[in-house]
Amino acid sequence: MWKNKICRNLLCAALTAALLFGSTAFPAFGTDTDEQIDALRQKSEELQAQIDAAEQEIEAIRSDVNKKQEYADELSGQIEDLQAQIDVLDQSIAAVQVRIDEKLVEIEEKNNTILALEQQNAEAQAEIERCEEEIEQTYERLKGRLRSLYMNGTLSELELLMSATDFSTYLTTLQLMESMAAHDDALIKSIESDILNLQELQKTIEANRLKVEQSKVELEAAKADYEASQAEIEEDKAVVKSSQDLIQSKWDEVQSVIADLDSQSAAYQSLKESYERQLNEAADEIDALIRAQASSGNASWGDGSVSAGGFVWPVQGSGVYTTTEYGQGGHGGLDITRHGASQLTTPIYAAAAGTVLTATWHSSYGNYIVVDHGNGLTTLYAHCNSISVSPGEHVEQNQQIGIVGNTGYSFGAHCHFEVRINGSRTNPRNYL
């Protein structure tokens, strides 16, 4: 689970600062106007720093949100891939189920066939038993006849003729003997027929028995194949389902982190807006104080009018104020900004007419411009967002030469304004 203790601590600190600066009424300053302006400028710098820090936090959170969202999208793709695998497995299971149903029908048919064959075998066995009994009875009668013939001997036709009292008696006796012989032959043939029938029945029973055994083997093989296929598919499905559950868990966790980051981003955005409102209020109060000074003749106002020193303010309009004075901490110029300058649309004007010496990039100044006003007097305008003049170009006083920016070594959008005499820096306020 994503946790950012440092980020939360920063948020708590920022919220505490918001409470400290949250009053819509600014602190009361001394009666000296310059002290009030300096205090307000210092507060404005602090507010701008807070705004910049909030913007950095918001950007960092957005970057983290984007990374988490990319990961969430990747997880979503994996979930879709796994679902596609599950769908394929479901189709395979359905196909196997069709085969299983077919096997069940086949099993039913085989069972019916087995029952029919067993019924035939039972009937054949009963017929065998009947035939064996009949053969036994016939065989007993035949043995009696043979025993009688053996005991009485066999009469030839001559003996029969000589012993007859008349010819009619002879014929009658002869027919009787022939009839008895035919009956004996019939008994023998009956036994032979019953034996052949018995053998056929035994062959049928054996064939049916083999068919039953083969059918049972086929059924067991079909059942084993079904069970193995179903077990394999269920195992694959379980593996995929487990993977899907794991990724879904990660998905839920990422979504929770994104929601948390969104909440923090909203908190910082609210804090930034609070700072900007306070900054606007400070700028408005600075405007009022500067206007009061201007009306009393103690200061020039950034309205494009030429001051007693002969210059106009390089940044003009409502909400203009300085964030750093000349000489403050060894500072070589005057940092001038304006409410809304962070939007990078505030113009920079030439403080006086002259010729552009330099319009280029510097690692500290960023985009900067130098204008030569003659007699060794030059002005410098640094940290420009963009430059609209070129070296050698003549510019008029109050002509726009660039846009306030935050390039080079800079903290917040402003114009670093320098005045130099023969290359040496001097206090710009002597000319404004």
Side-chain angles (χ1 to χ4, degrees):
M1 184 66 181
W2 179 89
K3 293 182 179 178
N4 194 333
K5 185 176 182 180
I6 295 176
C7 189
R8 288 197 174 97
N9 289 340
L10 285 173
L11 180 58
C12 291
L15 289 172
T16 302
L19 292 175
L20 292 175
F21 288 112
S23 175
T24 56
F26 291 100
F29 299 98
T31 57
D32 187 87
T33 301
D34 289 336
E35 291 181 359
Q36 295 182 46
I37 291 174
D38 289 341
L40 287 169
R41 285 170 178 162
Q42 183 178 357
K43 179 178 179 180
S44 296
E45 291 178 9
E46 294 173 355
L47 288 170
Q48 186 62 54
Q50 294 285 355
I51 290 172
D52 293 342
E55 287 179 343
Q56 291 177 1
E57 289 297 336
I58 291 171
E59 187 61 31
I61 290 171
R62 285 175 179 169
S63 176
D64 204 359
V65 167
N66 291 336
K67 291 179 182 178
K68 295 296 183 182
Q69 189 60 54
E70 290 176 1
Y71 182 49
D73 294 340
E74 180 183 344
L75 290 176
S76 180
Q78 293 181 26
I79 291 173
E80 291 178 358
D81 291 341
L82 287 172
Q83 187 58 52
Q85 295 179 35
I86 291 176
D87 293 340
V88 171
L89 287 175
D90 287 340
Q91 294 176 0
S92 299
I93 291 174
V96 171
Q97 188 60 51
V98 170
R99 293 197 300 271
I100 289 173
D101 294 339
E102 293 174 351
K103 285 296 182 181
L104 291 175
V105 172
E106 182 180 349
I107 288 171
E108 183 67 22
E109 293 176 350
K110 291 293 184 181
N111 284 331
N112 292 335
T113 299
I114 290 171
L115 292 175
L117 291 173
E118 290 177 344
Q119 179 64 28
Q120 291 179 15
N121 284 355
E123 294 175 354
Q125 185 62 41
E127 181 66 15
I128 287 173
E129 292 174 358
R130 187 194 63 78
C131 287
E132 287 177 344
E133 183 179 356
E134 185 173 337
I135 288 171
E136 182 66 23
Q137 293 176 356
T138 303
Y139 181 63
E140 290 297 328
R141 289 197 301 270
L142 183 59
K143 285 196 299 182
R145 284 285 303 133
L146 293 174
R147 188 181 302 108
S148 176
L149 289 174
Y150 175 77
M151 294 296 296
N152 296 324
T154 302
L155 295 176
S156 64
E157 291 185 4
L158 180 59
E159 290 175 332
L160 182 62
L161 178 62
M162 294 299 295
S163 62
T165 56
D166 52 34
F167 189 69
S168 175
T169 301
Y170 165 73
L171 291 176
T172 300
T173 303
L174 183 60
Q175 289 178 352
L176 179 58
M177 291 179 65
E178 290 177 351
S179 176
M180 292 175 64
H183 180 265
D184 291 342
D185 289 339
L187 288 175
I188 293 172
K189 289 179 179 180
S190 175
I191 290 173
E192 291 176 349
S193 176
D194 288 340
I195 291 173
L196 290 175
N197 186 36
L198 181 62
Q199 292 174 346
E200 290 299 323
L201 289 173
Q202 289 175 339
K203 289 180 180 180
T204 298
I205 289 175
E206 181 62 20
N208 289 344
R209 186 186 65 80
L210 294 176
K211 288 180 180 180
V212 168
E213 291 179 356
Q214 181 63 29
S215 296
K216 289 181 178 180
V217 170
E218 292 174 356
L219 287 178
E220 291 302 320
K223 290 179 180 179
D225 181 61
Y226 152 66
E227 292 174 356
S229 298
Q230 191 173 42
E232 181 179 356
I233 289 176
E234 290 299 326
E235 180 180 355
D236 291 342
K237 189 172 181 180
V239 171
V240 174
K241 185 63 168 59
S242 176
S243 300
Q244 187 182 36
D245 290 343
L246 176 61
I247 292 179
Q248 186 65 48
S249 176
K250 291 182 179 179
W251 168 267
D252 294 339
E253 180 179 342
V254 169
Q255 292 303 312
S256 176
V257 169
I258 290 175
D260 186 26
L261 291 172
D262 287 340
S263 176
Q264 292 187 43
S265 179
Y268 276 110
Q269 185 64 37
S270 176
L271 194 62
K272 176 188 171 186
E273 292 171 357
S274 174
Y275 291 149
E276 288 175 342
R277 285 193 300 271
Q278 295 175 58
L279 186 61
N280 292 341
E281 293 169 358
D284 291 340
E285 189 162 345
I286 290 172
D287 287 347
L289 292 171
I290 292 175
R291 285 181 184 275
Q293 281 186 329
S295 63
S296 63
N298 294 328
S300 61
W301 170 243
D303 58 0
S305 61
V306 181
S307 68
F311 280 9
V312 298
W313 280 70
V315 181
Q316 303 172 11
S318 176
V320 174
Y321 62 97
T322 59
T323 59
T324 307
E325 292 292 325
Y326 175 81
Q328 184 178 346
H331 195 241
L334 191 65
D335 286 348
I336 308 169
T337 189
R338 178 176 179 267
H339 169 59
S342 60
Q343 302 300 320
L344 306 179
T345 59
T346 300
I348 297 175
Y349 301 98
T355 303
V356 178
L357 290 181
T358 302
T360 187
W361 165 267
H362 186 272
S363 59
S364 292
Y365 286 139
N367 294 322
Y368 79 106
I369 305 162
V370 178
V371 179
D372 182 9
H373 305 288
N375 299 321
L377 180 63
T378 59
T379 53
L380 180 145
Y381 313 80
H383 306 308
C384 304
N385 180 57
S386 62
I387 296 173
S388 54
V389 292
S390 302
E393 181 180 346
H394 177 78
V395 295
E396 298 293 339
Q397 190 175 46
N398 265 327
Q399 177 180 333
Q400 181 176 338
I401 59 176
I403 297 292
V404 172
N406 193 27
T407 60
Y409 189 71
S410 172
F411 300 94
H414 68 283
C415 173
H416 173 80
F417 179 61
E418 292 184 8
V419 177
R420 298 186 182 190
I421 299 176
N422 296 322
S424 297
R425 297 184 181 94
T426 187
N427 192 343
R429 283 196 175 273
N430 295 331
Y431 297 85
L432 294 174

Short mmCIF file of all heavy atoms in Angstrom, two decimals, residues 78-124:
data_model
loop_
_atom_site.label_atom_id
_atom_site.label_comp_id
_atom_site.label_asym_id
_atom_site.label_seq_id
_atom_site.Cartn_x
_atom_site.Cartn_y
_atom_site.Cartn_z
N GLN A 78 -3.89 -7.27 -17.94
CA GLN A 78 -3.64 -8.64 -17.49
C GLN A 78 -4.95 -9.33 -17.10
O GLN A 78 -5.14 -10.52 -17.38
CB GLN A 78 -2.68 -8.62 -16.30
CG GLN A 78 -1.28 -8.16 -16.64
CD GLN A 78 -0.35 -8.18 -15.44
OE1 GLN A 78 -0.55 -8.96 -14.51
NE2 GLN A 78 0.66 -7.33 -15.45
N ILE A 79 -5.83 -8.58 -16.44
CA ILE A 79 -7.13 -9.15 -16.06
C ILE A 79 -7.91 -9.55 -17.31
O ILE A 79 -8.53 -10.62 -17.37
CB ILE A 79 -7.92 -8.13 -15.22
CG1 ILE A 79 -7.25 -7.95 -13.84
CG2 ILE A 79 -9.37 -8.58 -15.04
CD1 ILE A 79 -7.85 -6.85 -13.00
N GLU A 80 -7.87 -8.69 -18.32
CA GLU A 80 -8.58 -9.00 -19.57
C GLU A 80 -7.98 -10.25 -20.23
O GLU A 80 -8.71 -11.10 -20.74
CB GLU A 80 -8.52 -7.81 -20.51
CG GLU A 80 -9.33 -6.60 -20.03
CD GLU A 80 -9.19 -5.42 -20.96
OE1 GLU A 80 -8.44 -5.53 -21.96
OE2 GLU A 80 -9.83 -4.38 -20.70
N ASP A 81 -6.63 -10.35 -20.22
CA ASP A 81 -5.98 -11.53 -20.81
C ASP A 81 -6.39 -12.79 -20.06
O ASP A 81 -6.68 -13.83 -20.68
CB ASP A 81 -4.46 -11.36 -20.77
CG ASP A 81 -3.97 -10.26 -21.70
OD1 ASP A 81 -4.74 -9.89 -22.62
OD2 ASP A 81 -2.84 -9.79 -21.52
N LEU A 82 -6.39 -12.71 -18.73
CA LEU A 82 -6.78 -13.88 -17.95
C LEU A 82 -8.24 -14.24 -18.17
O LEU A 82 -8.60 -15.42 -18.24
CB LEU A 82 -6.54 -13.61 -16.46
CG LEU A 82 -5.07 -13.61 -16.02
CD1 LEU A 82 -4.95 -13.14 -14.59
CD2 LEU A 82 -4.47 -15.00 -16.17
N GLN A 83 -9.07 -13.22 -18.31
CA GLN A 83 -10.48 -13.50 -18.56
C GLN A 83 -10.66 -14.19 -19.90
O GLN A 83 -11.50 -15.08 -20.06
CB GLN A 83 -11.28 -12.19 -18.51
CG GLN A 83 -12.79 -12.40 -18.60
CD GLN A 83 -13.32 -13.30 -17.50
OE1 GLN A 83 -13.06 -13.07 -16.33
NE2 GLN A 83 -14.05 -14.35 -17.86
N ALA A 84 -9.84 -13.76 -20.89
CA ALA A 84 -9.90 -14.40 -22.20
C ALA A 84 -9.49 -15.87 -22.09
O ALA A 84 -10.10 -16.75 -22.72
CB ALA A 84 -8.98 -13.66 -23.19
N GLN A 85 -8.45 -16.15 -21.26
CA GLN A 85 -8.04 -17.55 -21.05
C GLN A 85 -9.17 -18.34 -20.39
O GLN A 85 -9.42 -19.50 -20.75
CB GLN A 85 -6.80 -17.58 -20.17
CG GLN A 85 -5.57 -16.95 -20.82
CD GLN A 85 -4.37 -16.99 -19.89
OE1 GLN A 85 -4.19 -17.93 -19.12
NE2 GLN A 85 -3.52 -15.98 -19.96
N ILE A 86 -9.82 -17.72 -19.41
CA ILE A 86 -10.93 -18.41 -18.74
C ILE A 86 -12.05 -18.68 -19.72
O ILE A 86 -12.67 -19.75 -19.70
CB ILE A 86 -11.43 -17.55 -17.55
CG1 ILE A 86 -10.38 -17.53 -16.44
CG2 ILE A 86 -12.75 -18.10 -17.00
CD1 ILE A 86 -10.73 -16.63 -15.27
N ASP A 87 -12.32 -17.71 -20.60
CA ASP A 87 -13.37 -17.91 -21.61
C ASP A 87 -13.03 -19.09 -22.51
O ASP A 87 -13.91 -19.89 -22.86
CB ASP A 87 -13.55 -16.63 -22.44
CG ASP A 87 -14.11 -15.48 -21.61
OD1 ASP A 87 -14.70 -15.77 -20.55
OD2 ASP A 87 -13.97 -14.33 -22.03
N VAL A 88 -11.74 -19.18 -22.91
CA VAL A 88 -11.31 -20.30 -23.75
C VAL A 88 -11.48 -21.62 -23.00
O VAL A 88 -11.97 -22.62 -23.57
CB VAL A 88 -9.85 -20.11 -24.19
CG1 VAL A 88 -9.33 -21.37 -24.87
CG2 VAL A 88 -9.73 -18.93 -25.12
N LEU A 89 -11.09 -21.61 -21.72
CA LEU A 89 -11.24 -22.83 -20.92
C LEU A 89 -12.72 -23.19 -20.75
O LEU A 89 -13.08 -24.37 -20.78
CB LEU A 89 -10.60 -22.63 -19.55
CG LEU A 89 -9.06 -22.63 -19.52
CD1 LEU A 89 -8.56 -22.29 -18.13
CD2 LEU A 89 -8.53 -23.98 -19.97
N ASP A 90 -13.55 -22.19 -20.58
CA ASP A 90 -14.99 -22.47 -20.46
C ASP A 90 -15.52 -23.11 -21.74
O ASP A 90 -16.35 -24.03 -21.69
CB ASP A 90 -15.75 -21.17 -20.18
CG ASP A 90 -15.54 -20.68 -18.75
OD1 ASP A 90 -15.14 -21.51 -17.91
OD2 ASP A 90 -15.77 -19.49 -18.48
N GLN A 91 -15.03 -22.63 -22.87
CA GLN A 91 -15.44 -23.23 -24.14
C GLN A 91 -14.95 -24.67 -24.23
O GLN A 91 -15.68 -25.55 -24.71
CB GLN A 91 -14.90 -22.40 -25.31
CG GLN A 91 -15.50 -21.00 -25.43
CD GLN A 91 -14.86 -20.18 -26.53
OE1 GLN A 91 -13.96 -20.65 -27.23
NE2 GLN A 91 -15.32 -18.96 -26.69
N SER A 92 -13.72 -24.90 -23.77
CA SER A 92 -13.19 -26.27 -23.77
C SER A 92 -14.02 -27.17 -22.87
O SER A 92 -14.32 -28.32 -23.21
CB SER A 92 -11.72 -26.27 -23.32
OG SER A 92 -10.93 -25.49 -24.18
N ILE A 93 -14.37 -26.63 -21.71
CA ILE A 93 -15.20 -27.41 -20.78
C ILE A 93 -16.54 -27.74 -21.42
O ILE A 93 -17.06 -28.85 -21.28
CB ILE A 93 -15.38 -26.63 -19.47
CG1 ILE A 93 -14.06 -26.57 -18.70
CG2 ILE A 93 -16.46 -27.26 -18.61
CD1 ILE A 93 -14.10 -25.71 -17.47
N ALA A 94 -17.11 -26.77 -22.12
CA ALA A 94 -18.39 -27.01 -22.78
C ALA A 94 -18.26 -28.10 -23.83
O ALA A 94 -19.14 -28.97 -23.97
CB ALA A 94 -18.90 -25.71 -23.41
N ALA A 95 -17.14 -28.05 -24.60
CA ALA A 95 -16.91 -29.07 -25.62
C ALA A 95 -16.74 -30.45 -24.98
O ALA A 95 -17.28 -31.45 -25.47
CB ALA A 95 -15.68 -28.71 -26.45
N VAL A 96 -15.97 -30.46 -23.88
CA VAL A 96 -15.78 -31.74 -23.17
C VAL A 96 -17.11 -32.24 -22.62
O VAL A 96 -17.40 -33.44 -22.64
CB VAL A 96 -14.75 -31.56 -22.03
CG1 VAL A 96 -14.72 -32.80 -21.14
CG2 VAL A 96 -13.37 -31.30 -22.61
N GLN A 97 -17.94 -31.33 -22.14
CA GLN A 97 -19.23 -31.72 -21.60
C GLN A 97 -20.11 -32.36 -22.68
O GLN A 97 -20.85 -33.31 -22.41
CB GLN A 97 -19.93 -30.51 -21.00
CG GLN A 97 -21.21 -30.85 -20.24
CD GLN A 97 -20.96 -31.79 -19.08
OE1 GLN A 97 -20.09 -31.53 -18.26
NE2 GLN A 97 -21.71 -32.88 -19.01
N VAL A 98 -20.00 -31.81 -23.91
CA VAL A 98 -20.74 -32.41 -25.02
C VAL A 98 -20.28 -33.85 -25.24
O VAL A 98 -21.09 -34.77 -25.40
CB VAL A 98 -20.56 -31.57 -26.31
CG1 VAL A 98 -21.12 -32.32 -27.52
CG2 VAL A 98 -21.23 -30.22 -26.16
N ARG A 99 -18.94 -34.02 -25.23
CA ARG A 99 -18.41 -35.38 -25.40
C ARG A 99 -18.82 -36.28 -24.24
O ARG A 99 -19.10 -37.47 -24.43
CB ARG A 99 -16.88 -35.34 -25.52
CG ARG A 99 -16.38 -34.66 -26.77
CD ARG A 99 -14.93 -35.00 -27.06
NE ARG A 99 -14.04 -34.61 -26.00
CZ ARG A 99 -13.45 -33.41 -25.91
NH1 ARG A 99 -13.71 -32.49 -26.83
NH2 ARG A 99 -12.64 -33.14 -24.91
N ILE A 100 -18.84 -35.69 -23.06
CA ILE A 100 -19.27 -36.47 -21.89
C ILE A 100 -20.72 -36.91 -22.05
O ILE A 100 -21.07 -38.07 -21.76
CB ILE A 100 -19.09 -35.63 -20.61
CG1 ILE A 100 -17.60 -35.47 -20.28
CG2 ILE A 100 -19.82 -36.28 -19.43
CD1 ILE A 100 -17.33 -34.52 -19.15
N ASP A 101 -21.56 -36.00 -22.49
CA ASP A 101 -22.97 -36.35 -22.71
C ASP A 101 -23.09 -37.47 -23.74
O ASP A 101 -23.92 -38.38 -23.59
CB ASP A 101 -23.75 -35.11 -23.16
CG ASP A 101 -23.82 -34.05 -22.07
OD1 ASP A 101 -23.64 -34.41 -20.89
OD2 ASP A 101 -24.07 -32.87 -22.40
N GLU A 102 -22.27 -37.36 -24.81
CA GLU A 102 -22.28 -38.42 -25.82
C GLU A 102 -21.84 -39.75 -25.22
O GLU A 102 -22.41 -40.81 -25.53
CB GLU A 102 -21.38 -38.03 -26.98
CG GLU A 102 -21.89 -36.82 -27.78
CD GLU A 102 -20.90 -36.36 -28.84
OE1 GLU A 102 -19.75 -36.87 -28.82
OE2 GLU A 102 -21.26 -35.50 -29.67
N LYS A 103 -20.80 -39.67 -24.36
CA LYS A 103 -20.34 -40.90 -23.72
C LYS A 103 -21.40 -41.48 -22.79
O LYS A 103 -21.55 -42.70 -22.71
CB LYS A 103 -19.06 -40.58 -22.91
CG LYS A 103 -17.82 -40.39 -23.76
CD LYS A 103 -17.43 -41.65 -24.50
CE LYS A 103 -16.17 -41.47 -25.31
NZ LYS A 103 -15.79 -42.70 -26.05
N LEU A 104 -22.12 -40.61 -22.13
CA LEU A 104 -23.18 -41.09 -21.25
C LEU A 104 -24.27 -41.81 -22.04
O LEU A 104 -24.80 -42.84 -21.61
CB LEU A 104 -23.78 -39.92 -20.47
CG LEU A 104 -22.86 -39.28 -19.41
CD1 LEU A 104 -23.52 -38.07 -18.80
CD2 LEU A 104 -22.50 -40.31 -18.33
N VAL A 105 -24.58 -41.26 -23.22
CA VAL A 105 -25.55 -41.94 -24.09
C VAL A 105 -25.00 -43.29 -24.53
O VAL A 105 -25.70 -44.31 -24.53
CB VAL A 105 -25.88 -41.06 -25.32
CG1 VAL A 105 -26.73 -41.84 -26.32
CG2 VAL A 105 -26.59 -39.79 -24.89
N GLU A 106 -23.70 -43.26 -24.90
CA GLU A 106 -23.06 -44.50 -25.32
C GLU A 106 -23.04 -45.51 -24.18
O GLU A 106 -23.28 -46.72 -24.38
CB GLU A 106 -21.64 -44.20 -25.79
CG GLU A 106 -20.89 -45.43 -26.29
CD GLU A 106 -19.48 -45.10 -26.74
OE1 GLU A 106 -19.16 -43.90 -26.86
OE2 GLU A 106 -18.69 -46.05 -26.95
N ILE A 107 -22.77 -45.01 -22.97
CA ILE A 107 -22.76 -45.88 -21.80
C ILE A 107 -24.14 -46.51 -21.59
O ILE A 107 -24.26 -47.71 -21.30
CB ILE A 107 -22.33 -45.09 -20.56
CG1 ILE A 107 -20.83 -44.78 -20.64
CG2 ILE A 107 -22.64 -45.86 -19.28
CD1 ILE A 107 -20.35 -43.83 -19.57
N GLU A 108 -25.17 -45.68 -21.74
CA GLU A 108 -26.53 -46.19 -21.59
C GLU A 108 -26.82 -47.27 -22.62
O GLU A 108 -27.40 -48.33 -22.30
CB GLU A 108 -27.52 -45.03 -21.73
CG GLU A 108 -28.97 -45.41 -21.52
CD GLU A 108 -29.27 -45.84 -20.10
OE1 GLU A 108 -28.49 -45.45 -19.19
OE2 GLU A 108 -30.27 -46.53 -19.88
N GLU A 109 -26.39 -47.01 -23.87
CA GLU A 109 -26.61 -48.00 -24.93
C GLU A 109 -25.84 -49.28 -24.64
O GLU A 109 -26.37 -50.40 -24.84
CB GLU A 109 -26.19 -47.42 -26.28
CG GLU A 109 -27.07 -46.27 -26.75
CD GLU A 109 -26.56 -45.65 -28.04
OE1 GLU A 109 -25.43 -46.00 -28.45
OE2 GLU A 109 -27.28 -44.81 -28.63
N LYS A 110 -24.60 -49.13 -24.17
CA LYS A 110 -23.80 -50.31 -23.86
C LYS A 110 -24.43 -51.10 -22.71
O LYS A 110 -24.46 -52.34 -22.73
CB LYS A 110 -22.38 -49.88 -23.47
CG LYS A 110 -21.55 -49.30 -24.62
CD LYS A 110 -21.23 -50.34 -25.66
CE LYS A 110 -20.32 -49.77 -26.74
NZ LYS A 110 -20.02 -50.78 -27.79
N ASN A 111 -24.90 -50.36 -21.72
CA ASN A 111 -25.57 -51.04 -20.60
C ASN A 111 -26.79 -51.82 -21.08
O ASN A 111 -27.03 -52.96 -20.65
CB ASN A 111 -25.98 -50.02 -19.54
CG ASN A 111 -24.80 -49.55 -18.71
OD1 ASN A 111 -23.83 -50.30 -18.54
ND2 ASN A 111 -24.86 -48.34 -18.20
N ASN A 112 -27.55 -51.20 -21.96
CA ASN A 112 -28.73 -51.90 -22.51
C ASN A 112 -28.31 -53.13 -23.31
O ASN A 112 -28.95 -54.18 -23.23
CB ASN A 112 -29.55 -50.95 -23.39
CG ASN A 112 -30.21 -49.85 -22.58
OD1 ASN A 112 -30.45 -50.00 -21.38
ND2 ASN A 112 -30.49 -48.72 -23.22
N THR A 113 -27.22 -52.94 -24.08
CA THR A 113 -26.72 -54.08 -24.87
C THR A 113 -26.26 -55.21 -23.95
O THR A 113 -26.54 -56.39 -24.20
CB THR A 113 -25.55 -53.63 -25.76
OG1 THR A 113 -26.01 -52.62 -26.66
CG2 THR A 113 -25.00 -54.81 -26.57
N ILE A 114 -25.56 -54.80 -22.88
CA ILE A 114 -25.08 -55.80 -21.93
C ILE A 114 -26.25 -56.54 -21.30
O ILE A 114 -26.24 -57.78 -21.16
CB ILE A 114 -24.21 -55.12 -20.86
CG1 ILE A 114 -22.89 -54.66 -21.47
CG2 ILE A 114 -23.95 -56.06 -19.68
CD1 ILE A 114 -22.05 -53.80 -20.56
N LEU A 115 -27.27 -55.77 -20.91
CA LEU A 115 -28.45 -56.40 -20.31
C LEU A 115 -29.10 -57.37 -21.29
O LEU A 115 -29.53 -58.48 -20.91
CB LEU A 115 -29.44 -55.32 -19.87
CG LEU A 115 -29.00 -54.45 -18.69
CD1 LEU A 115 -30.03 -53.36 -18.44
CD2 LEU A 115 -28.81 -55.30 -17.44
N ALA A 116 -29.19 -56.94 -22.58
CA ALA A 116 -29.81 -57.80 -23.59
C ALA A 116 -28.99 -59.07 -23.79
O ALA A 116 -29.55 -60.18 -23.90
CB ALA A 116 -29.97 -57.03 -24.91
N LEU A 117 -27.64 -58.90 -23.87
CA LEU A 117 -26.78 -60.07 -24.05
C LEU A 117 -26.86 -61.01 -22.86
O LEU A 117 -26.89 -62.24 -23.03
CB LEU A 117 -25.33 -59.61 -24.26
CG LEU A 117 -25.04 -58.89 -25.59
CD1 LEU A 117 -23.62 -58.34 -25.59
CD2 LEU A 117 -25.24 -59.83 -26.78
N GLU A 118 -26.90 -60.42 -21.68
CA GLU A 118 -27.02 -61.27 -20.49
C GLU A 118 -28.36 -61.99 -20.46
O GLU A 118 -28.45 -63.15 -20.02
CB GLU A 118 -26.84 -60.40 -19.23
CG GLU A 118 -25.40 -59.91 -19.05
CD GLU A 118 -25.25 -59.00 -17.86
OE1 GLU A 118 -26.29 -58.51 -17.37
OE2 GLU A 118 -24.10 -58.76 -17.41
N GLN A 119 -29.42 -61.28 -20.95
CA GLN A 119 -30.72 -61.95 -21.03
C GLN A 119 -30.67 -63.10 -22.03
O GLN A 119 -31.21 -64.20 -21.76
CB GLN A 119 -31.79 -60.92 -21.45
CG GLN A 119 -33.18 -61.51 -21.59
CD GLN A 119 -33.75 -62.04 -20.28
OE1 GLN A 119 -33.37 -61.54 -19.22
NE2 GLN A 119 -34.63 -63.03 -20.34
N GLN A 120 -30.00 -62.85 -23.18
CA GLN A 120 -29.87 -63.93 -24.18
C GLN A 120 -29.07 -65.09 -23.59
O GLN A 120 -29.40 -66.27 -23.82
CB GLN A 120 -29.16 -63.39 -25.43
CG GLN A 120 -29.99 -62.39 -26.23
CD GLN A 120 -29.24 -61.88 -27.45
OE1 GLN A 120 -28.23 -62.45 -27.86
NE2 GLN A 120 -29.74 -60.80 -28.02
N ASN A 121 -28.01 -64.76 -22.87
CA ASN A 121 -27.21 -65.83 -22.26
C ASN A 121 -28.03 -66.63 -21.25
O ASN A 121 -27.89 -67.86 -21.15
CB ASN A 121 -25.99 -65.22 -21.57
CG ASN A 121 -24.92 -64.81 -22.56
OD1 ASN A 121 -25.06 -65.05 -23.76
ND2 ASN A 121 -23.85 -64.18 -22.08
N ALA A 122 -28.86 -65.92 -20.48
CA ALA A 122 -29.70 -66.63 -19.51
C ALA A 122 -30.67 -67.57 -20.22
O ALA A 122 -30.87 -68.72 -19.79
CB ALA A 122 -30.46 -65.60 -18.66
N GLU A 123 -31.27 -67.03 -21.31
CA GLU A 123 -32.20 -67.89 -22.06
C GLU A 123 -31.45 -69.06 -22.69
O GLU A 123 -31.96 -70.20 -22.71
CB GLU A 123 -32.90 -67.06 -23.13
CG GLU A 123 -33.83 -65.98 -22.55
CD GLU A 123 -34.41 -65.09 -23.62
OE1 GLU A 123 -34.01 -65.23 -24.80
OE2 GLU A 123 -35.27 -64.23 -23.30
N ALA A 124 -30.25 -68.79 -23.23
CA ALA A 124 -29.46 -69.85 -23.85
C ALA A 124 -29.06 -70.89 -22.81
O ALA A 124 -29.05 -72.10 -23.09
CB ALA A 124 -28.23 -69.25 -24.53
#
